[in-house]
Amino acid sequence: MSLELEQHTLQEQFEAVIKTEDKLLIRDFLDDQNISDVAVLVEEFPEYESNIIANMSMNRAAHVFKILDLSVQKRIIHELPPNTTASLLNDLPADDRTDFLEELPSNVVRELIKLLDPDERKITLSLLGYPENSIGRLMTPDYVYVYPYNTIEEVFSTIRKYGKDSETINVIYVINQKGELLDDIRIRDFILNPPDKKVSELMDDRFVALHPDDDQETASEIFKMNNRVALPVVSASNKLLGIITIDDILWVATEEFSEDMQKMGGTQALDEPYLEMPILKLFKKRVVWLVVLFLGELLTATAMQFFEGEIQKAVVLALFIPLIISSGGNSGSQASTLIIQAMAIGEITLKDWWRVMKREIISGLLLGTVLGLIGFIRILAWHSFAPELYGPHWMAIGIVVGITLLGVVLWGTLAGSMLPMILKRLGADPAVSSAPFVATLVDVTGLIIYFSVAFSILSGSLL
């Protein structure tokens, strides 16, 4: 049976069950489904979204709730009765609960925190105390730890006792009596060794740890470099505070990717789903960069006004202006996108700037030569069919266009590749050197290059 047919059947079954209004039957049906399938039901039946969460066993409801979109989560919390909201928030993992609460207004957060159990309230307030976008906001205190003197048999007893409430048991953390992290050991190492062996015999004292004030993007890079499913978070004195799991990092990576794509498109990052964002707020997000880009394009008109005399003397030059500026803008946008993406995934760093520049110089020369030859051949072909179009100076015009394309494409690749690195060096987000911004910059400078080359070659003939 296809996935689409299975989902359609599931939706029909749900409609039949929900109409019975039998809470026990509804709960049994929902608890019998996969978490992802229940999330689909919430999406397909928004009129029943709060009923779905309220009629599930709370532990499973928490698992469904944490994978829903923020806008859906807000509606559900608003519709649920206080006692159900309290149970749901208390059952949410601390990191997911913190992630949800930090998106809400402060007055709402204060009221919801009052619903938490004392221990959960303490943990949540602690996590919310860390800077936004820091590792501290993502870490969970739910993990399994042991001591060096424990035997493997005692480790498994600890896992059986506390593992159910742990975020993951793939990695077990070794601490001393002061709570300082000594090592992290994968579960397979315990499984493959005899029960009477001590934890200290498995330790190699090599581990990678994060700090709560570290940036979330930094953690993403560390996860990738070390191929880990979980990493410990320690204080400045090496006290184990919590752990970060790969699922949280994947959410961060997805959000960062979405923000970068929006910025590269020439708009501020959206902090709400597109269809949920008020139109005036969406307008404010888009208008700022649009005005900046428009003001930048006004410089193009200024540049053309500066060369007005040359255009009047050789009107034919105006025919190639769109060709010139679009080629430069396209090459700049290409380079900018490639470099921003490579920086985002850690393929290049600021210290690689010279290697990047050398590669882009070569790329720009090759790309510019190809486009320059095509431009020259185009003029040659048109001259063969219509000699009067470019007149007796068609060869000089072709050379001007060819050389200009080479120069503009070379400049575009250099500007598009270096601007993100310069912004990164200044502490700004490289994504703001978006394709439209680079294209605007290259448009203006492309005209200067074009008319400078034209004046040098055509001076004394057309000019």
Side-chain angles (χ1 to χ4, degrees):
M1 186 183 295
S2 68
L3 178 62
E4 185 176 348
L5 183 58
E6 286 180 1
Q7 290 184 348
H8 181 69
T9 303
L10 177 64
Q11 291 168 17
E12 288 181 340
Q13 292 173 346
F14 172 74
E15 287 182 306
V17 170
I18 199 73
K19 288 177 182 177
T20 66
E21 298 185 2
D22 185 333
K23 292 186 178 181
L24 184 59
L25 182 62
I26 296 172
R27 169 169 293 198
D28 289 342
F29 173 79
L30 292 173
D31 286 348
D32 194 43
Q33 310 304 321
N34 293 326
I35 296 298
S36 57
D37 289 334
V38 179
V40 171
L41 290 176
V42 172
E43 181 181 344
E44 294 296 325
F45 298 94
E47 67 273 22
Y48 294 119
E49 56 192 12
S50 60
N51 288 337
I52 292 174
I53 296 299
N55 282 290
M56 297 180 69
S57 60
M58 203 47 61
N59 181 263
R60 286 178 56 80
H63 281 83
V64 173
F65 183 84
K66 72 178 188 178
I67 65 174
L68 298 176
D69 291 337
L70 176 63
S71 57
V72 179
Q73 291 177 334
K74 288 180 178 179
R75 289 199 304 268
I76 289 174
I77 288 295
H78 180 72
E79 294 169 4
L80 289 177
N83 61 326
T84 307
T85 300
S87 299
L88 178 63
L89 291 176
N90 280 303
D91 265 280
L92 275 175
D95 54 335
D96 293 305
R97 180 170 59 237
T98 304
D99 192 40
F100 169 63
L101 291 177
E102 71 176 352
E103 299 293 339
L104 303 178
S106 56
N107 60 322
V108 177
V109 173
R110 283 195 298 270
E111 294 303 316
L112 291 178
I113 284 179
K114 293 177 183 178
L115 301 175
L116 298 175
D117 296 337
D119 289 342
E120 297 296 335
R121 185 184 306 137
K122 182 179 178 181
I123 292 169
T124 301
L125 289 172
S126 173
L127 295 181
L128 286 172
Y130 290 109
E132 189 176 359
N133 297 323
S134 69
I135 289 302
R137 291 288 187 100
L138 293 178
M139 71 178 182
T140 174
D142 300 324
Y143 55 89
V144 176
Y145 63 88
V146 295
Y147 297 96
Y149 55 78
N150 288 139
T151 63
I152 291 180
E153 186 175 359
E154 291 172 334
V155 170
F156 283 120
S157 296
T158 302
I159 293 173
R160 282 189 287 268
K161 186 174 182 180
Y162 300 106
K164 185 177 71 172
D165 298 323
S166 176
E167 186 83 2
T168 178
I169 58 172
N170 290 329
V171 182
I172 307 300
Y173 300 91
V174 185
I175 65 172
N176 59 21
Q177 297 296 335
K178 297 179 181 179
E180 297 170 336
L181 179 64
L182 303 178
D183 208 348
D184 57 352
I185 302 176
R186 302 189 187 201
I187 190 70
R188 60 171 294 173
D189 293 328
F190 293 113
I191 295 173
L192 297 176
N193 280 282
D196 58 342
K197 199 168 188 176
K198 290 187 177 296
V199 172
S200 57
E201 297 178 63
L202 301 180
M203 293 170 55
D204 59 11
D205 300 320
R206 292 184 301 173
F207 61 88
V208 178
L210 302 169
H211 296 278
D213 291 332
D214 286 345
D215 186 79
Q216 293 175 2
E217 287 190 71
T218 302
S220 179
E221 289 300 313
I222 295 174
F223 265 88
K224 186 178 69 173
M225 296 295 293
N226 292 277
N227 192 28
R228 303 303 295 267
V229 296
L231 282 175
V233 182
V234 299
S235 66
S237 59
N238 198 40
K239 296 285 178 60
L240 182 58
L241 302 175
I243 65 171
I244 298 289
T245 52
I246 188 65
D247 59 324
D248 295 315
I249 294 302
L250 290 175
W251 279 109
V252 169
T254 301
E255 290 177 358
E256 292 295 336
F257 177 78
S258 297
E259 288 183 6
D260 287 347
M261 288 302 101
Q262 290 160 1
K263 290 176 181 177
M264 289 172 68
T267 182
Q268 295 181 27
L270 305 184
D271 48 14
E272 297 179 50
Y274 172 80
L275 292 177
E276 301 291 335
M277 179 170 285
I279 191 66
L280 286 179
K281 191 173 181 181
L282 184 62
F283 161 77
K284 292 177 182 178
K285 292 283 186 182
R286 298 174 66 175
V287 71
V288 176
W289 268 111
L290 204 57
V291 169
V292 170
L293 295 174
F294 178 75
L295 293 175
E297 289 291 356
L298 288 178
L299 296 176
T300 305
T302 303
M304 291 185 67
Q305 186 178 8
F306 182 80
F307 294 107
E308 185 178 1
E310 285 77 6
I311 295 176
Q312 288 178 347
K313 293 176 184 177
V315 179
V316 68
L317 293 177
L319 299 176
F320 299 99
I321 290 176
L323 173 69
I324 299 297
I325 63 177
S326 65
S327 297
N330 290 340
S331 65
S333 299
Q334 270 190 346
S336 175
T337 302
L338 289 173
I339 296 304
I340 291 171
Q341 191 266 347
M343 292 176 68
I345 62 177
E347 289 182 352
I348 60 174
T349 60
L350 291 179
K351 65 181 180 181
D352 298 316
W353 72 271
W354 177 239
R355 292 177 60 195
V356 172
M357 178 176 281
K358 287 192 294 185
R359 290 176 66 88
E360 289 303 316
I361 289 174
I362 297 172
S363 296
L365 288 172
L366 292 174
L367 294 168
T369 300
V370 171
L371 295 186
L373 287 173
I374 294 174
F376 181 82
I377 292 171
R378 189 265 190 198
I379 292 174
L380 173 63
W382 256 247
H383 175 73
S384 301
F385 291 105
E388 72 283 355
L389 182 60
Y390 301 124
H393 302 289
W394 67 271
M395 177 69 75
I397 293 172
I399 293 173
V400 167
V401 171
I403 293 176
T404 301
L405 283 169
L406 173 59
V408 167
V409 170
L410 175 60
W411 166 242
T413 57
L414 285 175
S417 60
M418 290 295 104
L419 191 56
M421 304 192 81
I422 292 172
L423 288 173
K424 181 74 171 179
R425 182 67 181 85
L426 296 175
D429 189 345
V432 302
S433 63
S434 56
F437 185 76
V438 172
T440 302
L441 173 65
V442 176
D443 284 354
V444 179
T445 52
L447 285 174
I448 297 174
I449 293 172
Y450 179 36
F451 285 107
S452 297
V453 172
F455 185 80
S456 300
I457 294 177
L458 300 177
S459 182
S461 54
L462 279 177
L463 299 179

